[in-house]
Amino acid sequence: MTTVSVDGRLEPAADQDRKGPGRPRSARVDEAIVEAVFDLLSAGQSADAISIEAVAAKAGVGKATIYRRWPNKEALLIDAVTMMKGPLPEPHGESVREDLVMLVSGMRNKRMERYGRVTACLLPELVKSEEMHRVYQGVIEPRRNVMRQVLRRGVETGELRADLDVELTLLMLSGPNIVQNMLNWNPTVPEEHFAEKLVDAVLCGIAA
């Protein structure tokens, strides 16, 4: 069974998840819409160039289906980035080095390679829009806080310097990951054991 959306497209009745009281949203439709955003960004389209119409066409739904879930394109983009990053990592708490290696390694899997390409396409939006930058910071802050807690625990246990600048250390650990993921900034740096080498290099300056 299909129905005609407000923009004239035929939509499956299952997508009309807000028409009836108590009808749950379709996770399948949500995923199709977010995947369409990923595909468009991964293909090289800028966030500014992407339209709700293009996302709807790629996902095989009508614009009304998207607007029932997200008020505008910016909200959709932020949700897409949040979903791409996946669940928060959980450090084991046995040693600062092991936890940092685990966190850095988690930024370098195949899923995060795609995320890096998508983020690169979002950069113009983040530079131009203070609101988008603020919202994006809200997306990454929970992950930043996981690493922050590991560093603070290291100070408390004596593994790290008592005068450690936690925020600067976060930047030193995250920055290389970001530029390598998005830009392959230095192709001569081998991928193998990248996380271990980065963490050990930083630990040379911050270890107790």
Side-chain angles (χ1 to χ4, degrees), residues 128-141:
K128 291 187 299 182
S129 169
E130 289 185 6
E131 177 64 13
M132 279 287 286
H133 186 268
R134 182 189 65 79
V135 175
Y136 182 73
Q137 288 296 312
V139 170
I140 63 174
E141 178 60 20

Side-chain angles (χ1 to χ4, degrees), residues 159-161 172 196-208:
E159 295 173 78
L160 302 180
R161 293 169 46 166
M172 289 190 293
E196 291 86 346
K197 291 178 179 178
L198 174 62
V199 169
D200 287 341
V202 174
L203 284 175
C204 285
I206 68 174

Side-chain angles (χ1 to χ4, degrees), residues 48-142:
D48 193 47
I50 289 177
S51 65
I52 292 295
E53 289 82 358
V55 175
K58 188 76 173 176
V61 301
K63 290 191 297 182
T65 300
I66 297 178
Y67 281 122
R68 280 195 296 272
R69 291 160 166 78
W70 294 277
N72 50 49
K73 183 180 75 174
E74 287 73 20
L76 171 57
L77 290 173
I78 291 300
D79 264 11
V81 172
T82 304
M83 293 173 67
M84 176 171 274
K85 292 180 78 67
L88 288 175
E90 297 183 8
H92 298 300
E94 295 178 1
S95 86
V96 168
R97 181 186 182 275
E98 290 179 7
D99 283 346
L100 291 178
V101 169
M102 183 270 290
L103 293 174
V104 172
S105 297
M107 303 178 193
R108 305 198 59 75
N109 54 37
K110 290 298 181 182
R111 180 173 58 83
M112 292 313 253
E113 285 181 13
R114 188 186 187 197
Y115 167 71
R117 292 193 298 271
V118 170
T119 304
C121 295
L122 285 173
L123 283 177
E125 293 278 346
L126 300 178
V127 172
K128 291 187 299 182
S129 169
E130 289 185 6
E131 177 64 13
M132 279 287 286
H133 186 268
R134 182 189 65 79
V135 175
Y136 182 73
Q137 288 296 312
V139 170
I140 63 174
E141 178 60 20

Side-chain angles (χ1 to χ4, degrees), residues 14-61:
D15 289 352
Q16 307 296 319
D17 55 334
R18 291 192 182 273
K19 289 298 184 183
R23 185 191 292 269
R25 271 175 54 160
S26 168
R28 178 183 60 80
V29 174
D30 287 1
E31 291 172 4
I33 293 169
V34 170
E35 278 298 319
V37 174
F38 295 158
D39 289 343
L40 291 170
L41 289 170
S42 297
Q45 289 197 35
S46 69
D48 193 47
I50 289 177
S51 65
I52 292 295
E53 289 82 358
V55 175
K58 188 76 173 176
V61 301

